[in-house]
Amino acid sequence: MYPASTPASRTRAEKFDAMVLEALEPIELRWGSELADLDLAVDEVPEVEETSPDDVVWGQGVLADVGVPLAQLVPAGVDPEGLPSRARIVIYRRPLEARARDGADLADLLHEVLVEQVAEYLNIEPDAVDGGES
């Protein structure tokens, strides 16, 4: 219906990705050099190996709200194929969208989650990431 070049033609996932980048922009402006070795990814939902809520234990680096992961900081290491991997923040789209009342609320929530995850990566307080002194 809409030409591919118009914003209305973008999927929900594409719109979300754009919001993530927009929320990250002020953080990157301030901390760009410190974040050079950090990647950012978006997944629909977190992977869950156990299906019973009583058995689910989220690993280190997971930012959760009422037991539901919103994002995860995955440290640098070695991937399953034995290759070195870079540190990355994984943002979970559906849980974040479910918690937001509207687009502005989602933008605020994304910024808050990214601040928390970047602070964990840099091993500093979230207030320092968001404009305070480091």
Side-chain angles (χ1 to χ4, degrees):
M1 285 192 170
Y2 297 102
S5 61
T6 63
S9 69
R10 296 190 308 182
T11 65
R12 282 179 60 187
E14 290 170 332
K15 290 175 187 175
F16 184 86
D17 291 349
M19 288 183 81
V20 169
L21 293 176
E22 189 175 313
L24 183 63
E25 188 174 350
I27 298 168
E28 276 190 322
L29 286 174
R30 179 173 166 88
W31 298 97
S33 61
E34 290 89 345
L35 302 178
D37 294 328
L38 179 67
D39 291 336
L40 182 64
V42 175
D43 280 350
E44 291 272 324
V45 294
E47 283 187 32
V48 178
E49 292 182 18
E50 298 287 334
T51 57
S52 168
D54 297 331
D55 295 334
V56 175
V57 176
W58 302 112
Q60 184 178 0
V62 172
L63 177 63
D65 176 41
V66 192
V68 177
L70 305 178
Q72 180 176 10
L73 174 62
V74 179
V78 178
D79 70 12
E81 287 82 39
L83 300 172
S85 65
R86 292 166 41 110
R88 72 184 174 283
I89 294 172
V90 181
I91 302 291
Y92 300 118
R93 180 172 71 88
R94 295 219 178 207
L96 286 162
E97 286 177 334
R99 279 156 178 71
R101 291 183 299 276
D102 55 31
D105 192 36
L106 180 56
D108 290 343
L109 184 56
L110 279 170
H111 178 76
E112 183 180 318
V113 165
L114 285 167
V115 164
E116 291 285 334
Q117 293 296 91
V118 168
E120 184 171 339
Y121 173 72
L122 296 174
N123 198 28
I124 60 176
E125 291 296 317
D127 289 344
V129 171
D130 207 19
E133 293 301 314
S134 57

